[in-house]
Amino acid sequence: MLSLSGKIVELTELSLDDAAPLAAAASENRASYTHAHVPADIEGMRRWVDLALAARAASRQLPVVIRRTHTREVIGTTSFHLEHWPWPGRTTATHETPDAVEIGSTWLSHSAQGIGANREAKFLLLDYAFTHWQVHRVRFRTDVRNARSRRAIESLGATLDGILRADFSDPDATVRDSAYYSILASEWPTLRESFAAE
């Protein structure tokens, strides 16, 4: 079971019991969710949790709840989207650890934005992916119009790999272009030192 703690946030695996506190966190102020799929009510959040847990059962995703470290208040969520590559000699499509991951489906309550929670959560996830799973690459993607998200990803040291046009549907009923970023395993030790020096 994944459980990671920092000074600001604590990350644990999603459970059915998290739907109500996630719905409460998402209802604080929805102004920053223009480019994010964040359910607006408890019914929608329960459906989202059910889908995320089904993806976990199928080894496609590891959904995570973000809490304040000292109060354990639920303030948002994020996920590992798992990639299992077809290596020569491997007999199953999936195996114990992923070859690469995408960190996404991230959102925070209004009151938890701008306090360092997102940056610390990303550091904890990056370090887990590269150190525990020894993945080859961590990817991020965001709507090209989401300047705040792109700045946050770039501040992690991720490299822009390119723009994928007409990537998928957006909450505003448009078809969005996505900016794809990545960090490679070979880059993580230097980036990790930069985080440690902050």
Side-chain angles (χ1 to χ4, degrees), residues 155-169:
S155 76
L156 299 172
T159 297
L160 176 65
D161 292 319
I163 306 299
L164 183 58
R165 298 178 299 162
D167 192 20
F168 59 88
S169 64

Side-chain angles (χ1 to χ4, degrees), residues 32-109:
S32 62
Y33 303 148
T34 306
H35 302 297
H37 292 277
V38 181
D41 55 34
I42 184 62
E43 292 80 13
M45 193 63 74
R46 285 184 181 131
R47 285 192 299 273
W48 182 89
V49 168
D50 285 342
L51 288 171
L53 294 178
R56 181 176 70 189
S59 299
R60 296 191 315 269
Q61 185 177 338
L62 181 58
V64 174
V65 173
I66 306 171
R67 292 180 169 82
R68 293 183 191 269
T69 297
H70 298 296
T71 65
R72 303 211 74 235
E73 172 196 5
V74 171
I75 57 173
T77 185
T78 189
S79 288
F80 279 124
H81 299 269
L82 311 174
E83 294 182 32
H84 297 92
W85 297 348
W87 292 93
R90 183 173 288 161
T91 57
T92 59
T94 61
H95 47 285
E96 189 172 332
T97 59
D99 296 291
V101 297
E102 178 178 307
I103 296 174
S105 305
T106 305
W107 61 266
L108 290 170
S109 64

Side-chain angles (χ1 to χ4, degrees), residues 125-141:
L125 293 173
L126 282 162
D127 200 48
Y128 187 85
F130 285 122
T131 304
H132 181 74
W133 283 334
Q134 299 183 337
V135 298
H136 299 280
R137 184 250 305 139
V138 173
R139 181 174 66 197
F140 303 90
R141 65 175 164 168

